[in-house]
């Protein structure tokens, strides 16, 4: 279930910041048509940090409804409070999500033992498949492979989104966690190499605007077709870079608006993509054949 090209879906918003349900439905339909392997709803790219708990649960419910079992839906339910993470994970289970993605607690910088106990508590509280999410560049907290190995023995902790970009971790995680544990990258720029090194998928920002190409590239890498994966990935390289010219999801929401797929809406403290960067990202979109 947790493999292939999984899109870290944006949450479409109107210019007043309200969630645009029609655009969300259309995005889900588009990803089904384009062959995306799974949708991750309300993660970092989905602006989880600025949706309140009711909105968070409602967007998960809507994505599950719109997907209608045509592809798996993974709900972002992490928090820096263990109690809140449990509440959001329960919401996701009730909504019918296929699994949950839980980021390491951010800002409060727990120890490795604290991380172990946090994720163990969520897994024991809610019987749903769960993916760990390690992204120290955002959280100021790096969950070490040894801690992941401790958690991998818990039955419903089934994989990790490893977003450090450190390819040397793939082999170590596989050794510590076993063959059935899903190793998924969260770094678009190194996703091809991650898969070729033994990973099974990506949770991708680039897939928001180039879903078919990302799906084909990841599929080629998974079957070990090095040349074909590189050929497909080459025109995407600019997107992997330029979708992070400002903090995600600022650039990708602008790109989707340029493609006419969502309105120009984002919530403070994030702001609309700055004009000086737009020509560079637009050129990368042209190079990828998107516009």
């Amino acid at each position: 279930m947790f493999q292939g090209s999984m899109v870290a879906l944006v949450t479409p918003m109107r210019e007043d910041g309200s969630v645009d349900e029609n655009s969300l439905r259309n995005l889900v339909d588009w990803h089904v048509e384009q062959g995306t392997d799974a949708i991750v709803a309300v993660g970092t790219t989905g602006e989880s940090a600025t949706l309140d708990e009711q909105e968070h649960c409602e967007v998960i419910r809507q994505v599950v409804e719109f997907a209608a079992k045509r592809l798996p839906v993974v709900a972002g339910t992490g928090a820096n409070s263990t109690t809140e993470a449990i509440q959001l994970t329960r919401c996701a289970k009730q909504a019918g999500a296929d699994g949950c993605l839980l980021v390491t607690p951010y800002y409060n910088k727990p120890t490795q033992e604290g991380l172990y106990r946090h994720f163990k508590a969520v897994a024991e509280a809610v019987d749903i498949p769960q993916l760990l999410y390690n992204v120290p560049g955002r959280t100021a907290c790096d969950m070490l492979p040894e801690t992941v190995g401790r958690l991998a023995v818990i039955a419903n902790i089934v994989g990790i989104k490893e977003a450090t970009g450190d390819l040397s971790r793939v082999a170590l995680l596989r050794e510590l966690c076993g063959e059935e544990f899903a190793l998924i990258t969260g770094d678009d720029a190194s996703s091809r190499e991650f898969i070729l090194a033994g990973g099974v998928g990506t949770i991708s920002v680039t897939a928001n605007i180039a879903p078919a190409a990302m799906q084909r590239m990841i599929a080629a890498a998974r079957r070990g077709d090095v040349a074909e994966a590189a050929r497909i990935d080459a025109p995407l390289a600019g997107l992997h870079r330029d979708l992070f010219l400002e903090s995600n999801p600022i650039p990708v929401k602008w790109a989707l608006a340029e493609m006419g797929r969502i309105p120009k809406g984002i919530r403070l403290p994030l702001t609309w993509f700055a004009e000086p960067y737009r020509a560079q990202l637009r050129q990368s979109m042209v190079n990828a054949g998107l516009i």
Side-chain angles (χ1 to χ4, degrees):
M1 183 186 302
F2 307 117
Q3 60 188 13
S5 179
M6 307 167 67
V7 63
L9 194 70
V10 303
T11 300
M13 296 173 182
R14 303 176 185 90
E15 291 194 44
D16 65 2
S18 60
V19 175
D20 184 345
E21 181 177 331
N22 287 334
S23 293
L24 183 61
R25 181 191 298 271
N26 290 338
L27 283 181
V28 172
D29 287 342
W30 185 50
H31 280 287
V32 172
E33 293 164 6
Q34 294 290 300
T36 296
D37 293 302
I39 288 175
V40 177
V42 206
T44 304
T45 310
E47 293 176 80
S48 57
T50 54
L51 296 178
D52 64 34
E53 187 173 321
Q54 181 177 348
E55 290 174 317
H56 193 128
C57 293
E58 179 60 15
V59 172
I60 293 169
R61 187 198 65 76
Q62 289 175 357
V63 172
V64 170
E65 177 187 331
F66 300 156
K69 300 296 183 183
R70 294 176 292 173
L71 77 178
V73 175
V74 178
T77 59
N80 62 348
S81 157
T82 305
T83 300
E84 183 180 354
I86 289 170
Q87 291 170 342
L88 290 172
T89 304
R90 284 177 175 151
C91 277
K93 181 178 171 66
Q94 291 165 3
D98 297 289
C100 292
L101 176 71
L102 291 112
V103 71
T104 53
Y106 41 86
Y107 186 74
N108 43 19
K109 300 174 74 172
T111 64
Q112 296 300 306
E113 181 64 22
L115 290 171
Y116 172 76
R117 294 188 189 187
H118 167 82
F119 286 113
K120 182 174 182 285
V122 179
E124 290 176 345
V126 190
D127 184 18
I128 189 172
Q130 296 175 23
L131 295 170
L132 311 173
Y133 178 15
N134 188 41
V135 57
R138 278 189 177 266
T139 63
C141 174
D142 185 6
M143 182 161 54
L144 299 178
E146 292 76 13
T147 303
V148 180
R150 291 178 69 194
L151 289 163
V153 302
I154 299 172
N156 59 328
I157 295 180
V158 298
I160 184 170
K161 177 184 177 183
E162 175 60 50
T164 59
D166 181 357
L167 295 174
S168 70
R169 288 196 175 188
V170 181
L172 180 56
L173 285 165
R174 178 62 69 215
E175 178 184 350
L176 291 169
C177 301
E179 291 299 320
E180 299 303 314
F181 197 73
L183 301 183
I184 299 165
T185 180
D187 180 62
D188 276 310
S190 62
S191 59
R192 174 169 50 91
E193 292 90 345
F194 187 99
I195 301 299
L196 291 168
V200 299
T202 181
I203 296 177
S204 169
V205 176
T206 301
N208 275 282
I209 60 174
M214 282 297 296
Q215 195 282 329
R216 291 196 305 271
M217 186 272 286
I218 296 298
R222 291 193 67 206
R223 63 177 182 265
D225 192 337
V226 176
E228 179 67 0
R231 185 192 67 79
I232 299 169
D233 202 26
L236 302 177
L239 298 178
H240 300 333
R241 178 191 66 234
D242 295 340
L243 288 173
F244 298 90
L245 285 168
E246 291 190 312
S247 297
N248 179 47
I250 292 171
V252 73
K253 293 196 92 173
W254 177 86
L256 281 165
E258 285 290 290
M259 296 169 70
R261 295 205 170 271
I262 64 171
K264 297 178 179 179
I266 200 163
R267 285 192 183 178
L268 288 171
L270 300 182
T271 52
W272 200 238
F273 195 39
E275 196 280 332
Y277 298 117
R278 295 176 187 175
Q280 181 175 335
L281 178 50
R282 186 179 288 111
Q283 186 58 53
S284 290
M285 294 170 70
V286 171
N287 295 344
L290 302 180
I291 56 176

